[in-house]
């Protein structure tokens, strides 16, 4: 059943506040205004469900991951609305299964009997049989959706998703590159015992102290992706950029654009005998989470280069907002014991990505053991090559 008055009120409210709030602030305002319940990233009531996304441009086109298909199914019997908030506009789209073209993200094992994957913004139909996907047409579109059996939509999505062509390229190391990858364990052990390690660790800890206040404020942000990007940006950005972000965090105002590149490392440092790529991982020590790690193909490609060493810099915040840090190797015994390979995050032409057990991260922060198990590390890296 389509509640026209409720959906019209929702659209009117969102248009009245466009450009005023960040994505998270806007979601909070909508939740309070309409008395919505919240389950993870979805706000909902009996009449509709809504998920907020953000784009730094004012175009209605966006490619962010929206939500998993398995989650969407729970709300597919009511209008499922995606609100794209931009610096000056709020765009609304109906995103029930009828109005999706395919399931793009983490969907290579999607079958009718195996619901997997998520859809992106650009998987939402902006036009359905000549009907523009916009609030003025939501009632008409939802009436069409109600008459379409879910099984029909699922079968179509499975078929269309199967036809996606892999864009990535699996790293295929040469014999010499394999040799260089295998020697990365020796390089890492050498670096961890060097004066350069002490220098890098001191430099990073000094950067954290400079933005200590900002990290403490960011720790209260529930959105794990935003929180992680903010902390990474505070540590790695130029002074002028990080000061602007610090000011916004202090004042609780709309945050500036936070650009973090989707690369293997967040921070690079070169020494005469070492080239360091480092991933910054933040962790609230009082909440459960298992951080996503590295793309395996990107890691192997980097380790196949001369002098390469890959490190993890962990920034933990405890219940008292005290900051704990630790720079460690990807081969660190504690970290390696808590590293899992996740195929469901893999692309169609990829070895997959790693994920760190949150308890292992906390153990590193509270009682760090610098040990690297040489044989186990060699076996692990060989397994990644052969994967």
């Amino acid at each position: 059943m389509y509640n026209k008055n409720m959906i019209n009120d929702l659209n009117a409210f969102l248009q009245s506040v466009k450009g005023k709030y960040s994505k998270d602030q806007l979601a909070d305002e909508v939740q309070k205004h309409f008395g919505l319940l919240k389950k993870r990233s979805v706000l909902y009531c009996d009449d509709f469900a809504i998920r907020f996304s953000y784009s730094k441009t004012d175009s209605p086109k966006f490619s962010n991951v929206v939500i998993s298909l398995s989650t969407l199914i729970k709300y597919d019997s009511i209008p499922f609305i995606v609100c794209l908030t931009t610096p000056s506009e709020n765009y609304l789209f109906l995103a029930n299964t009828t109005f999706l073209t395919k399931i793009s993200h983490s969907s290579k094992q999607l079958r009718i009997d195996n619901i997997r994957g998520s859809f992106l913004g650009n998987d939402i139909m902006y036009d359905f049989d000549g009907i523009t996907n916009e609030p003025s047409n939501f009632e008409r579109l939802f009436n069409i959706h109600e008459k379409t059996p879910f099984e029909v939509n699922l079968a179509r999505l499975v078929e269309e998703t199967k036809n996606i062509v892999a864009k990535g390229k699996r790293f295929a190391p040469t014999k010499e590159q394999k040799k260089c990858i295998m020697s990365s364990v020796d390089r890492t052990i050498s670096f961890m015992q060097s004066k350069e390690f002490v220098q890098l660790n001191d430099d990073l800890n000094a950067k954290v102290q400079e933005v200590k206040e900002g990290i403490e404020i960011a720790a209260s942000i529930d959105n794990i992706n935003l929180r992680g990007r903010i902390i990474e940006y505070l540590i790695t950005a130029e002074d002028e950029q990080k000061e602007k972000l610090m000011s916004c965090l202090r004042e609780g105002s709309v945050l500036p654009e936070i650009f973090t590149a989707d690369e293997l490392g967040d921070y690079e440092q070169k020494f005469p005998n070492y080239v360091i790529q480092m991933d910054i991982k933040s962790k609230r020590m009082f909440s459960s989470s298992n951080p996503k790690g590295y793309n395996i193909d990107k890691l192997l490609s980097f380790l196949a280069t001369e002098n390469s060493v890959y490190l993890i810099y962990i920034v933990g915040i405890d219940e008292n907002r005290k900051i704990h840090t630790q720079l460690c190797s990807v081969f660190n015994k504690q970290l390696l014991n808590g590293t899992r390979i996740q195929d469901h995050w893999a692309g169609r032409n990829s070895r997959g990505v790693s994920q760190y057990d949150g308890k292992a991260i906390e153990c590193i922060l509270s009682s760090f053991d610098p040990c690297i198990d040489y044989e186990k590390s060699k076996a692990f890296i060989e397994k990644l090559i052969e994967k």
Side-chain angles (χ1 to χ4, degrees):
M1 190 71 179
Y2 186 87
N3 189 329
K4 184 175 182 178
N5 291 334
M6 177 71 85
I7 303 299
N8 285 348
D9 287 347
L10 173 67
N11 181 48
F13 179 80
L14 287 167
Q15 298 313 312
S16 71
V17 296
K18 60 187 180 183
K20 292 184 178 180
Y21 300 113
S22 68
K23 182 189 78 170
D24 291 336
Q25 290 170 331
L26 182 60
D28 289 342
E29 291 297 318
V30 169
Q31 183 179 14
K32 287 187 289 186
H33 189 85
F34 291 92
L36 303 179
L37 299 173
K38 182 176 183 180
K39 190 165 185 180
R40 295 194 176 183
S41 59
V42 177
L43 302 176
Y44 66 97
C45 61
D46 291 339
D47 297 302
F48 69 89
I50 187 167
R51 167 76 160 96
F52 290 85
S53 289
Y54 172 76
S55 174
K56 62 184 178 182
T57 67
D58 284 322
S59 169
K61 306 288 186 179
F62 70 113
S63 59
N64 307 25
V65 175
V66 178
I67 206 165
S68 68
L69 178 59
S70 60
T71 299
L72 174 62
I73 290 170
K74 299 173 185 176
Y75 307 99
D76 207 37
S77 61
I78 57 177
F80 186 86
I81 297 166
V82 172
C83 176
L84 174 66
T85 180
T86 75
S88 62
E89 297 290 339
N90 289 324
Y91 297 99
L92 275 67
F93 308 101
L94 208 56
N96 295 87
T97 52
T98 299
F99 312 113
L100 301 182
T101 59
K102 60 186 181 302
I103 305 300
S104 290
H105 182 67
S106 305
S107 59
K108 65 179 183 178
Q109 296 177 351
L110 173 65
R111 303 188 307 271
I112 289 176
D113 61 346
N114 188 42
I115 306 300
R116 301 294 295 269
S118 304
F119 68 92
L120 311 180
N122 53 24
D123 294 325
I124 301 171
M125 298 180 190
Y126 293 95
D127 179 280
F128 181 85
D129 286 347
I131 306 171
T132 305
N133 191 344
E134 61 185 16
S136 61
N137 293 324
F138 278 3
E139 183 174 15
R140 184 180 174 190
L141 288 169
F142 189 73
N143 288 338
I144 295 171
H145 170 69
E146 282 189 306
K147 296 172 184 175
T148 306
F150 169 73
E151 294 75 15
V152 172
N153 280 329
L154 179 59
R156 174 182 56 82
L157 290 171
V158 169
E159 184 61 29
E160 292 300 320
T161 301
K162 283 181 180 177
N163 294 329
I164 297 174
V165 178
K167 294 180 180 179
K169 185 176 181 181
R170 182 183 175 89
F171 178 60
T174 64
K175 184 177 179 179
E176 287 302 311
Q177 286 176 321
K178 285 184 180 180
K179 185 177 178 181
C180 189
I181 294 170
M182 293 305 299
S183 65
S184 64
V185 180
D186 298 270
R187 288 197 301 274
T188 301
I189 292 173
S190 173
F191 177 77
M192 299 299 287
Q193 298 172 347
S194 71
K195 64 182 181 185
E196 287 87 352
F197 169 79
V198 176
Q199 178 184 333
L200 178 60
N201 191 50
D202 289 347
D203 177 55
L204 290 166
N205 289 338
K207 289 179 180 294
V208 167
Q209 284 303 309
E210 289 175 5
V211 293
K212 179 174 177 288
E213 181 187 2
I215 293 174
E216 290 172 345
I217 297 170
S220 64
I221 297 174
D222 289 329
N223 185 314
I224 188 171
N225 292 323
L226 178 60
R227 183 174 70 241
R229 293 206 319 273
I230 289 173
I231 292 174
E232 173 194 329
Y233 195 80
L234 285 170
I235 295 171
T236 62
E238 298 295 328
D239 289 344
E240 184 177 343
Q241 296 168 321
K242 68 176 68 175
E243 185 51 47
K244 182 178 181 181
L245 178 54
M246 288 275 285
S247 177
C248 292
L249 288 169
R250 290 190 196 101
E251 298 167 4
S253 56
V254 177
L255 298 176
E257 178 185 342
I258 301 172
F259 175 77
T260 54
D262 185 22
E263 302 293 342
L264 173 67
D266 303 318
Y267 187 78
E268 181 179 271
Q269 183 72 56
K270 292 183 179 180
F271 298 100
N273 297 313
Y274 306 101
V275 177
I276 308 300
Q277 283 279 353
M278 185 186 66
D279 190 21
I280 298 174
K281 287 297 171 192
S282 57
K283 177 78 170 70
R284 289 202 301 198
M285 299 170 70
F286 51 90
S287 61
S288 176
S289 66
N290 298 315
K292 188 175 179 180
Y294 46 81
N295 176 288
I296 295 172
D297 288 288
K298 289 182 180 179
L299 175 67
L300 294 177
S301 179
F302 172 65
L303 294 181
T305 60
E306 188 178 1
N307 297 332
S308 55
V309 175
Y310 185 64
L311 305 175
I312 311 293
Y313 185 61
I314 305 170
V315 181
I317 306 98
D318 65 22
E319 291 181 343
N320 299 316
R321 298 211 299 185
K322 182 179 178 181
I323 298 172
H324 307 258
T325 63
Q326 185 61 60
L327 180 62
C328 72
S329 158
V330 70
F331 300 122
N332 172 267
K333 184 177 180 179
Q334 290 171 301
L335 187 65
L336 201 59
N337 287 339
T339 300
R340 304 288 179 267
I341 303 305
Q342 300 289 2
D343 290 318
H344 69 271
W345 278 335
R348 293 168 184 272
N349 197 14
S350 165
R351 288 177 171 85
V353 300
S354 67
Q355 184 180 31
Y356 305 126
D357 183 273
K359 295 296 183 183
I361 297 291
E362 291 175 15
C363 186
I364 289 170
L365 290 169
S366 61
S367 53
F368 181 58
D369 178 358
C371 175
I372 293 176
D373 186 321
Y374 184 78
E375 294 301 330
K376 188 171 183 178
S377 298
K378 298 277 276 191
F380 177 76
I381 203 72
E382 187 169 12
K383 181 180 177 181
L384 294 186
I385 294 173
E386 299 303 322
K387 185 171 171 57

